[in-house]
Amino acid sequence: MRRKSFLASRINAVSDGVFAIAMTLLVFNIQIPDLEDIKPGEDFHSNILQQLPHFFSWILSFAILCRLWLTHNHLMSDHQFKSVAFTSFNFLLLGAVAFIPFPASLMGEYPDQVWSVILLSASYAVAAIAITGMWCVAANRTNVSAHRVLVVSMVMLCTSILACLLTLFNPYWGLGLWIVYVLGIAPLAHFVEKRYAPVES
């Protein structure tokens, strides 16, 4: 049965579920030290310190997923029905989101490896492309939220590409760029919202 549109509420339901599961899976990468496995000369604190890359991976990935969810929320806030094209791009986004716990775990285990950072960056690049596609086929692209969505998605896409390139020279440069993104994207989104907000008469 071919359909021309889908209920936004159903799309929101499955999307929120995927985001929630992906965000939860991220924390499973942080392992609790087993006191029985601690070798002579080691202590509990040193074992906790070994988990710092996983803590960093969790914080970074969780923060970016939060930004993706906020952006997705802006796209879903205008109409009751969504087109087939919009829904297709939404599933592309959910595929990227569902995959993110794997490269996040890889990065936590091997933060100094090029492919760990490239896989994570590529996942966010796919998510950014999906968000941009959803924006392109959205019914209303003139309001404040629409401008914010486009800016945030394009900045994420550019960050992903640049992070991949920097990682080829040094993986920590790519990770550093993602830290800059996390710290700077909220002020940028706020600036865009103020820039395109309607002027009160």
Side-chain angles (χ1 to χ4, degrees), residues 4 10 15 31 63 84 94 97 105 121 129-130 134 138 181 199 201:
K4 295 182 178 180
R10 296 296 303 275
S15 300
Q31 302 295 322
V84 173
L94 296 185
V97 169
S105 176
S121 300
I129 291 171
M134 293 166 70
Y181 171 85
V199 179
S201 57

Side-chain angles (χ1 to χ4, degrees), residues 67-115:
R67 173 50 56 185
L68 280 173
W69 183 87
L70 290 171
T71 306
H72 181 270
N73 185 60
H74 286 300
L75 281 167
M76 299 296 297
S77 62
D78 54 353
H79 287 81
Q80 185 177 2
F81 293 93
K82 298 297 182 182
S83 67
V84 173
F86 185 98
T87 306
S88 299
F89 278 117
N90 187 79
F91 279 119
L92 177 62
L93 169 65
L94 296 185
V97 169
F99 180 73
I100 283 170
F102 170 70
S105 176
L106 199 64
M107 190 183 73
E109 192 70 29
Y110 306 104
D112 58 340
Q113 295 299 311
V114 170
W115 279 105

Side-chain angles (χ1 to χ4, degrees), residues 114 117-118 121 158-171 173-174 177:
V114 170
V117 184
I118 287 181
S121 300
C158 293
T159 302
S160 301
I161 296 173
L162 186 56
C164 288
L165 294 176
L166 290 175
T167 299
L168 295 176
F169 297 96
N170 189 322
W173 292 0
L177 184 61

Side-chain angles (χ1 to χ4, degrees), residues 104-181:
S105 176
L106 199 64
M107 190 183 73
E109 192 70 29
Y110 306 104
D112 58 340
Q113 295 299 311
V114 170
W115 279 105
S116 299
V117 184
I118 287 181
L119 273 178
L120 189 71
S121 300
S123 301
Y124 288 124
V126 173
I129 291 171
I131 288 287
T132 304
M134 293 166 70
W135 178 87
C136 289
V137 300
N140 182 10
R141 302 196 300 268
T142 60
N143 57 21
V144 176
S145 293
H147 289 294
R148 171 189 284 198
V149 167
L150 180 61
V151 170
V152 169
S153 62
M154 293 308 298
V155 171
M156 176 176 284
L157 180 58
C158 293
T159 302
S160 301
I161 296 173
L162 186 56
C164 288
L165 294 176
L166 290 175
T167 299
L168 295 176
F169 297 96
N170 189 322
Y172 293 109
W173 292 0
L175 292 178
L177 184 61
W178 279 115
I179 295 174
V180 173
Y181 171 85

Side-chain angles (χ1 to χ4, degrees), residues 5 17 38 57 60-61 67 115 133 137 188:
S5 63
I38 295 180
S57 175
L60 180 66
S61 300
R67 173 50 56 185
W115 279 105
V137 300
L188 177 61

Side-chain angles (χ1 to χ4, degrees), residues 31-81:
Q31 302 295 322
I32 298 177
D34 190 345
L35 294 179
E36 295 180 358
D37 293 337
I38 295 180
K39 300 177 182 179
E42 294 183 350
D43 56 19
F44 183 80
H45 296 90
S46 63
N47 278 263
I48 288 293
L49 290 177
Q50 292 176 7
Q51 295 296 317
L52 285 181
H54 290 287
F55 278 107
F56 171 78
S57 175
W58 168 70
I59 292 173
L60 180 66
S61 300
F62 188 85
I64 300 176
L65 281 177
C66 287
R67 173 50 56 185
L68 280 173
W69 183 87
L70 290 171
T71 306
H72 181 270
N73 185 60
H74 286 300
L75 281 167
M76 299 296 297
S77 62
D78 54 353
H79 287 81
Q80 185 177 2
F81 293 93

